Amino acid sequence: MVVLREGMCPGLDEDVVRDLLEDLVASDTEELAQKCSVSYKALLAIRRVLLAQHTAFPVSGLDLYEELVSSTAILSTSIPSLDKLLDSGLYTGEITELSGAPGTGKSQVCFATATHTAHRLKQSVIYIDTTGGLSATRLLQMLQVQTDETGEQTEALQRIRVFRVFDIFSLLDCLHGLRCGGLQQASLGGGSVKAVILDSVSAIISPTLGGKQNEGMSLMMQVAGTLKTIAKDFNVAVLVTNHMTRGPGGEPQAGLGLSWSHVPRTRLLLERSDGAGPLLGSKRTATLVKSSRRPCHIKAEFDFNRGSRPEEGLLGGVRVRDGSDP
Amino acid sequence: MKPLSAAPLSPSVKVKLLRAGFDWEEELRGLEPLELSREGGLSLEEALEVQQILTRGVEQPGGGGLTALELLQQEERSIVTFCSQLDALLGGGVPLGRTSEVCGTPGVGKTQLCLQLCVDVQIPECFGGLGGHAVFVDTEGSLVVQRVVDLAQAAVHHCSLQDHDPEQQEAMKTFTMETILEHLHLMRCHDYVELLAQVHLLPDFLVRHSKVRLLVIDSLAFPFRRHFEDLSVRTRLLNGLAQQLLQIASQHSVAVVWTNQMTTQLVPVLGETPGHRAARGLLVPALGETWGHWATQRLLLHWEGPHRLASVFKSPNNMESSVSYSITQQGFRDASSSLSESKQPSSSLSESKQPSSSLSESKQPSSSLSESKQPSSSLSESKRPRMQEGQ
Amino acid sequence: MTETGAQLFARLDARRCLTDIEAHLFPEDCGPRHGEVVELHGLEGTGKTELLYHLLCRCVLPVEAGGMGVEVVFVDSDYSLDMLRLVTILENRLAAGLSTGRPEAGSSGVCPEEAALRSCLSRLLVVHCGSSSQLLLTLHYLDTSLSSRPGLSLLLIDSISAFYWLDRCGGGESVARQEDKLTKDYRITVFATSHAIRRNYKNVASSSSSSSSSSSSPYSEYEQPYLCRPWQRLVTHRLLCSRGMAGANMASATCADKHSKKQSFNVRCTSSSSSSRGTKAHKSSSFYVTDGGVVFV
């Protein structure tokens, strides 16, 4: 809703200022002209100016495509089998979601992507940590696997900007800050921001859901909307993590309900390869659950080698098994 | 321009403002409270509150964040457990600024580990410790002060063997059993309402007691495992609680440790004859699968035959694996063969870790595993006063 | 803003009727006419967006490539338009339709395919909306562009339910009533997607009993519309999308290579357009998705 105020455009004076813009636009101009004793033509002009000020601008599909072709980048997750599932990596301008039970390696994939982007691609990364799970030590560990140069490691770490937020309003504040200049600022340190990682989105949203749902749902959709806007407008890849729930038949499902399920463009489900329960092991299975590029429900297996000794681990301590389609 | 719908205002106020046509926070900034209440259809109190909340938001902007390098430099030290294998597994101990969950069946040593941490966090800095204080939130009434005294004396003794330079000798004068007890703040919560209230007040408490480096909640699961007809309410309360704990951990650089109970989950067994649905029970941490996301790292204490094992099964920077440990009179220690052997037959000592199946608590699933973590209450009540309130 | 009756007639007449937009989807003689609204409704991952791309491609493709060569406005309130995917589909169809013999369209310079693609894309107008009031105002604003471009005959909105929760919280009504005016005045066909975001548990029990067709049970759980009444009155066709059972009866017939078992999707159309003599007509169809977009079974 937009309130009409005096002086918003020439000709709009007190008489007309009664209502919301929506009502003005929707109402019959002729009737209104009689009611406010303003000329029909003047009202029409006002209407047109106001509309032009407040509507979205139509873009030709051709322009959009050309812009997209010149600006889209694909960020590798540094895990080849996952990249294969994702059709070579995370696309900028999109939201990709990783969902899975606790300890299935969601954060590890985030770390791997962050370090890879910061070190190999020399681009900046925004990492929004909502669970306190980000471990700079682990990031360093992954970088040490990739390079021996302390200078390079330091540089890469400097390219990763970390925000720690613990409630939804600070998250919205933070995202809003990013949208209004924070992203450009963060790019100053060399390399533009190419990835925004939100780990985890469910941790911050789930406490607001339930009970009086409307408020929580509205906030959730705002987070979703802001993330999408950031992804599109700044052309960055957004990677979020989500928890996993079980459907009525016990089948794994991404959390946060139906409304959220429409938000990410691509969704991966991570599971332990070795069955249910807190068993030890580093093998993980990733299943593509939603994608607009690849057929769904293909699987790949990968292996976290968390000890990440350089001679064993390949690329950031994540050792890769062959991706296998079912 | 910041959308008003994202502002931390109460829903009813927000609806009124949106209905009145305010879309952006900036539109409210310039208005006097009186104007705002007239235009937005709010009461004057509401208008004043709105303005307060919004100005607070301006004064405390989210900041530019940190780079990972700065974070690395800040990355906190850890509290040692006195079990060197477990310390190695955890990368030096229980990290400050993070949350850790300890799960396990009754009697496996969750409380022992917590108490050990409460003592260890106080080891003076010149001995490589943190010299901090601890807060112990007790929901089960399972804290036995005599046990803390045992652990404290053992820790003091351990340090006194190593005081070589004058600084350390100086520090030893203030590191005694009495000071350890003095710096352990106890809070007893009887139900989940008290627990939520207590956690709500903790940030203020931590500001006043800035030396606190460890917050233990033993156990977090207990008050939430009953009195809930509507599970969604429980989930919501738990999620809110977890969010607050994360915030406490990060903002006050406190290690937050909570314990969780185990529950039995039925898992269908594959490969059975069709039509016959078989299931086997699997012990999993209580409070549901979603709860598992909250703790930064999760430690599972369990029995493997006669040995106690500690497994890390969720951690951002450590390998998932298991080590064995033991609980001695001195506290939580490495499992050495001599210790574990001496542990078995001893029945003369009135130690809490002793196996005594007769004491097995009602919640224990199987008496074979049972080992009460408390001495028999009838015996101990007279000579071991329990500390009820810590504040 | 004055025009003669002859001009008006010429303008409205020039607008292409989209009754034959997709014979597979709609019951016989019940394709969407001028000014009718089609709602695509379904869960996440049930092919709504793919179907929308399919219709979009069909409209913007030149006649010689099996399209209709008309202009389309895509109102994107969800940031869901995936240009790359759309272009892939277009390229595939162009290659199939024009069959110029060139294997790849990616070569430098302006090859015929590139030019064809460009002309297709130039028939597409995309509008991004960030809030429900912006969506509303944009729809009003489209008046101007609609009257000035007779080639425009399809308005796609993805998705109409994007701001549902925001509006619910703000206490506002949904905006859907506004399209009424648009469609009446400009005789344009509207396709809108709405997400299934509310679960309706009541129907679950009843649906499980009717197991005659495998596709009926997944629908009913989410079938209940939740958008406001004016919108429901406006919609003349509802397409319910759901995920089909993986390769039951159609897989053998369509998938030549058994190796890649295609996920199939079902659509059930309920249309109550003015032409169908007041009765409701139903049609079910299913399709699967390939690189080149939707292929109907």
Side-chain angles (χ1 to χ4, degrees):
Chain A
M1 303 281 159
V2 180
V3 186
L4 291 180
R5 292 211 178 70
E6 279 178 70
M8 264 168 89
C9 85
L12 190 66
D13 54 24
E14 234 176 314
D15 287 335
V16 193
V17 181
R18 283 277 145 73
D19 266 320
L20 302 176
L21 176 55
E22 282 82 349
D23 296 329
L24 174 81
V25 168
S27 60
D28 188 19
T29 317
E30 211 165 322
E31 237 172 69
L32 198 67
Q34 280 170 0
K35 230 192 312 185
C36 325
S37 61
V38 181
S39 79
Y40 180 72
K41 274 205 166 161
L43 263 184
L44 265 187
I46 290 172
R47 187 170 182 270
R48 209 171 301 150
V49 171
L50 285 175
L51 274 178
Q53 278 175 3
H54 286 276
T55 53
F57 189 71
V59 192
S60 148
L62 186 62
D63 296 344
L64 209 63
Y65 173 61
E66 273 168 0
E67 194 196 313
L68 203 67
V69 165
S70 63
S71 60
T72 299
I74 303 173
L75 306 180
S76 163
T77 59
S78 83
I79 306 166
S81 61
L82 278 193
D83 284 349
K84 208 174 134 198
L85 272 191
L86 293 168
D87 201 9
S88 73
L90 308 173
Y91 282 60
T92 58
E94 292 188 4
I95 299 181
T96 309
E97 179 179 284
L98 298 166
S99 60
T104 46
K106 302 183 295 295
S107 297
Q108 297 296 321
V109 175
C110 290
F111 295 168
T113 311
T115 49
H116 187 265
T117 311
H119 173 63
R120 288 284 159 85
L121 308 178
K122 308 262 182 276
Q123 304 292 326
S124 300
V125 176
I126 303 269
Y127 199 110
I128 303 173
D129 179 20
T130 68
T131 61
L134 174 66
S135 157
T137 321
R138 176 69 183 146
L139 291 178
L140 182 66
Q141 231 175 38
M142 287 182 158
L143 284 168
Q144 279 164 347
V145 177
Q146 295 175 27
T147 172
D148 289 332
E149 297 244 342
T150 329
E152 280 186 26
Q153 290 166 7
T154 319
E155 256 176 52
L157 285 178
Q158 271 170 332
R159 283 198 199 96
I160 302 174
R161 189 160 280 274
V162 181
F163 291 86
R164 294 196 139 158
V165 295
F166 296 104
D167 67 83
I168 190 144
F169 295 113
S170 4
L171 174 67
L172 282 166
D173 256 356
C174 170
L175 290 177
H176 181 258
L178 288 178
R179 201 169 82 184
C180 304
L183 274 182
Q184 284 97 330
Q185 251 176 42
S187 320
L188 288 180
S192 59
V193 175
K194 277 284 162 238
V196 172
I197 298 173
L198 176 54
D199 179 27
S200 89
V201 74
S202 53
I204 207 142
I205 289 177
S206 56
T208 66
L209 298 180
K212 278 194 295 170
Q213 276 203 343
N214 285 354
E215 168 79 349
M217 286 299 206
S218 156
L219 291 170
M220 175 168 90
M221 291 329 282
Q222 284 188 45
V223 171
T226 320
L227 283 176
K228 281 178 183 168
T229 318
I230 288 177
K232 281 277 176 193
D233 293 357
F234 297 94
N235 209 9
V236 298
V238 176
L239 180 66
V240 301
T241 64
N242 192 351
H243 65 229
M244 195 189 76
T245 55
R246 302 229 169 242
E251 72 277 9
Q253 250 177 9
L256 296 181
L258 288 174
S259 292
W260 179 267
S261 71
H262 295 282
V263 174
R265 179 77 57 82
T266 310
R267 173 176 294 129
L268 283 181
L269 187 69
L270 303 184
E271 285 169 301
R272 286 166 190 272
S273 299
D274 37 14
L279 298 170
L280 303 169
S282 56
K283 269 189 238 160
R284 302 286 188 271
T285 313
T287 314
L288 189 66
V289 187
K290 178 182 182 182
S291 167
S292 60
R293 280 181 292 270
R294 306 268 332 245
C296 291
H297 301 288
I298 52 174
K299 285 179 196 252
E301 201 169 63
F302 60 98
D303 192 346
F304 284 114
N305 183 8
R306 296 211 179 181
S308 94
R309 273 173 310 223
E311 66 271 17
E312 278 183 27
L314 170 79
L315 291 188
V318 181
R319 196 172 62 210
V320 178
R321 309 222 141 200
D322 268 16
S324 56
D325 292 3
Chain B
M1 295 280 269
K2 209 181 152 201
L4 190 65
S5 43
L9 303 171
S10 81
S12 61
V13 170
K14 224 187 268 183
V15 168
K16 282 185 195 163
L17 287 173
L18 290 173
R19 283 244 171 99
F22 291 102
D23 263 350
W24 309 98
E25 269 187 27
E26 282 74 9
E27 291 175 323
L28 299 182
R29 286 260 159 72
L31 296 177
E32 293 291 313
L34 206 62
E35 276 179 277
L36 182 61
S37 82
R38 185 159 39 86
E39 295 231 340
L42 303 175
S43 71
L44 195 57
E45 288 84 34
E46 282 174 328
L48 277 168
E49 208 187 319
V50 167
Q51 301 247 309
Q52 267 174 4
I53 290 172
L54 293 186
T55 37
R56 208 184 307 149
V58 176
E59 282 160 8
Q60 305 173 335
L66 297 166
T67 66
L69 187 68
E70 288 162 330
L71 194 70
L72 183 70
Q73 283 150 0
Q74 278 181 19
E75 207 130 272
E76 306 278 354
R77 291 190 294 158
S78 307
I79 307 169
V80 294
T81 62
F82 272 13
C83 169
S84 57
Q85 280 183 302
L86 185 59
D87 286 345
L89 189 64
L90 293 172
V94 177
L96 297 194
R98 291 180 194 282
T99 52
S100 311
E101 177 171 287
V102 181
C103 319
T105 49
V108 76
K110 301 189 294 292
T111 305
Q112 297 300 316
L113 175 57
C114 291
L115 292 179
Q116 185 69 56
L117 289 171
C118 286
V119 171
D120 292 350
V121 72
Q122 304 190 28
I123 295 172
E125 284 173 34
C126 52
F127 288 101
L130 296 166
H133 297 181
V135 174
F136 192 99
V137 180
D138 184 12
T139 65
E140 292 181 344
S142 57
L143 182 81
V144 182
V145 175
Q146 184 56 44
R147 187 63 188 142
V148 186
V149 171
D150 288 348
L151 298 185
Q153 278 169 340
V156 170
H157 178 70
H158 177 81
C159 288
S160 66
L161 295 177
Q162 301 173 3
D163 58 341
H164 303 305
D165 61 57
E167 191 198 348
Q168 288 179 330
Q169 275 156 6
E170 187 63 33
M172 278 312 290
K173 284 181 190 157
T174 55
F175 185 63
T176 62
M177 190 266 287
E178 284 79 14
T179 55
I180 290 177
L181 291 183
E182 199 179 306
H183 295 155
L184 175 59
H185 306 275
L186 292 179
M187 298 172 182
R188 175 79 171 94
C189 298
H190 294 87
D191 56 22
Y192 72 92
V193 181
E194 281 185 24
L195 177 61
L196 291 175
Q198 196 65 263
V199 171
H200 192 72
L201 295 173
L202 266 173
D204 287 338
F205 181 87
L206 292 177
V207 170
R208 276 182 281 126
H209 299 80
S210 58
K211 290 191 86 174
V212 171
R213 285 291 157 270
L214 173 68
L215 166 65
V216 173
I217 299 179
D218 182 35
S219 80
L220 193 124
F222 180 67
F224 286 96
R225 292 197 72 181
R226 54 175 94 169
H227 306 310
F228 280 98
E229 279 166 20
D230 185 359
L231 278 182
S232 71
V233 173
R234 185 183 89 162
T235 312
R236 226 154 69 86
L237 289 175
L238 275 173
N239 285 339
L241 178 66
Q243 214 166 38
Q244 276 178 313
L245 290 175
L246 286 181
Q247 207 152 2
I248 288 172
S250 152
Q251 284 173 359
H252 300 273
S253 62
V254 166
V256 176
V257 178
W258 65 73
T259 61
N260 192 357
Q261 302 175 341
M262 302 297 278
T263 188
T264 309
Q265 191 185 52
L266 290 179
V267 180
V269 178
L270 300 173
E272 291 289 318
T273 50
H276 172 249
R277 290 187 63 151
R280 72 195 153 90
L282 188 70
L283 273 182
V284 296
L287 301 179
E289 197 172 8
T290 319
W291 174 256
H293 290 280
W294 284 107
T296 310
Q297 56 185 5
R298 303 180 89 187
L299 194 64
L300 177 69
L301 305 182
H302 56 111
W303 289 93
E304 191 77 50
H307 304 287
R308 297 166 197 253
L309 284 184
S311 314
V312 174
F313 68 104
K314 179 192 175 191
S315 165
N317 48 0
N318 300 302
M319 191 98 123
E320 292 185 359
S321 61
S322 304
V323 296
S324 60
Y325 66 95
S326 67
I327 290 173
T328 68
Q329 188 172 8
Q330 285 78 35
F332 200 89
R333 293 292 186 275
D334 273 321
S336 68
S337 52
S338 61
L339 272 177
S340 58
E341 253 134 50
S342 72
K343 194 186 73 177
Q344 303 297 339
S346 71
S347 57
S348 54
L349 297 164
S350 63
E351 242 178 72
S352 61
K353 54 94 186 172
Q354 278 193 296
S356 53
S357 53
S358 60
L359 288 175
S360 65
E361 291 163 63
S362 56
K363 59 182 175 179
Q364 286 180 235
S366 65
S367 56
S368 66
L369 291 183
S370 70
E371 191 185 11
S372 170
K373 50 190 158 169
Q374 290 173 41
S376 123
S377 54
S378 56
L379 285 174
S380 58
E381 213 65 67
S382 52
K383 52 180 181 175
R384 288 172 187 171
R386 281 191 186 187
M387 210 174 283
Q388 291 290 340
E389 291 295 333
Q391 275 196 294
Chain C
M1 291 296 278
T2 54
E3 58 183 353
T4 65
Q7 278 172 324
L8 178 74
F9 185 75
R11 198 185 77 203
L12 295 183
D13 197 41
R15 223 180 274 292
R16 175 83 191 261
C17 182
L18 296 179
T19 321
D20 53 345
I21 185 164
E22 183 52 75
H24 291 284
L25 276 180
F26 298 99
E28 226 164 288
D29 294 334
C30 286
R33 280 148 203 284
H34 284 314
E36 291 191 335
V37 179
V38 183
E39 182 182 355
L40 289 157
H41 184 80
L43 283 175
E44 166 257 322
T46 50
K48 291 189 303 296
T49 314
E50 277 299 324
L51 209 52
L52 216 56
Y53 290 158
H54 172 73
L55 299 170
L56 209 165
C57 289
R58 178 126 164 80
C59 286
V60 298
L61 279 172
V63 180
E64 57 268 31
M68 307 177 84
V70 293
E71 291 180 23
V72 177
V73 180
F74 191 100
V75 178
D76 188 5
S77 56
D78 243 1
Y79 278 105
S80 61
L81 180 63
D82 185 354
M83 255 333 217
L84 295 176
R85 174 72 187 144
L86 185 65
V87 167
T88 317
I89 300 174
L90 279 174
E91 275 174 352
N92 273 305
R93 302 222 163 156
L94 277 175
L98 297 175
S99 62
T100 48
R102 275 176 193 264
E104 282 291 314
S107 57
S108 60
V110 188
C111 65
E113 285 178 19
E114 183 82 19
L117 180 66
R118 283 168 172 279
S119 77
C120 282
L121 285 175
S122 62
R123 278 186 217 116
L124 171 68
L125 272 185
V126 181
V127 186
H128 284 292
C129 287
S131 71
S132 63
S133 75
Q134 199 182 22
L135 175 62
L136 182 71
L137 295 171
T138 305
L139 290 175
H140 279 286
Y141 187 66
L142 283 176
D143 287 8
T144 333
S145 42
L146 285 176
S147 52
S148 64
R149 301 181 70 160
L152 269 177
S153 48
L154 180 66
L155 175 66
L156 298 170
I157 303 173
D158 189 23
S159 76
I160 195 85
S161 62
F163 308 114
Y164 175 75
W165 288 114
L166 292 180
D167 286 355
R168 270 293 290 267
C169 192
E173 252 294 273
S174 185
V175 295
R177 65 197 149 100
Q178 291 307 321
E179 278 102 62
D180 196 15
K181 180 177 175 293
L182 269 184
T183 53
K184 294 245 167 66
D185 286 5
Y186 298 101
R187 304 184 36 134
I188 189 168
T189 308
V190 180
F191 276 79
T193 65
S194 66
H195 296 320
I197 53 180
R198 311 198 88 185
R199 220 177 274 259
N200 182 22
Y201 286 107
K202 276 180 283 181
N203 283 346
V204 181
S206 61
S207 71
S208 55
S209 58
S210 64
S211 54
S212 54
S213 72
S214 61
S215 57
S216 73
S217 51
Y219 288 130
S220 36
E221 199 176 336
Y222 308 99
E223 209 170 344
Q224 212 70 5
Y226 55 89
L227 287 171
C228 65
R229 237 160 229 296
W231 170 251
Q232 285 172 40
R233 236 176 283 137
L234 198 60
V235 173
T236 48
H237 305 264
R238 263 172 83 85
L239 296 174
L240 290 174
C241 303
S242 71
R243 217 175 262 189
M245 305 295 121
N249 45 354
M250 68 283 288
S252 52
T254 53
C255 294
D257 47 343
K258 288 236 171 172
H259 188 66
S260 59
K261 215 173 252 179
K262 297 283 193 291
Q263 170 76 48
S264 75
F265 300 94
N266 299 319
V267 192
R268 193 175 58 172
C269 176
T270 310
S271 58
S272 53
S273 83
S274 49
S275 65
S276 61
R277 300 165 299 277
T279 55
K280 291 201 171 184
H282 297 276
K283 171 154 183 167
S284 293
S285 50
S286 47
F287 62 90
Y288 61 95
V289 177
T290 64
D291 264 356
V294 167
V295 176
F296 280 91
V297 179

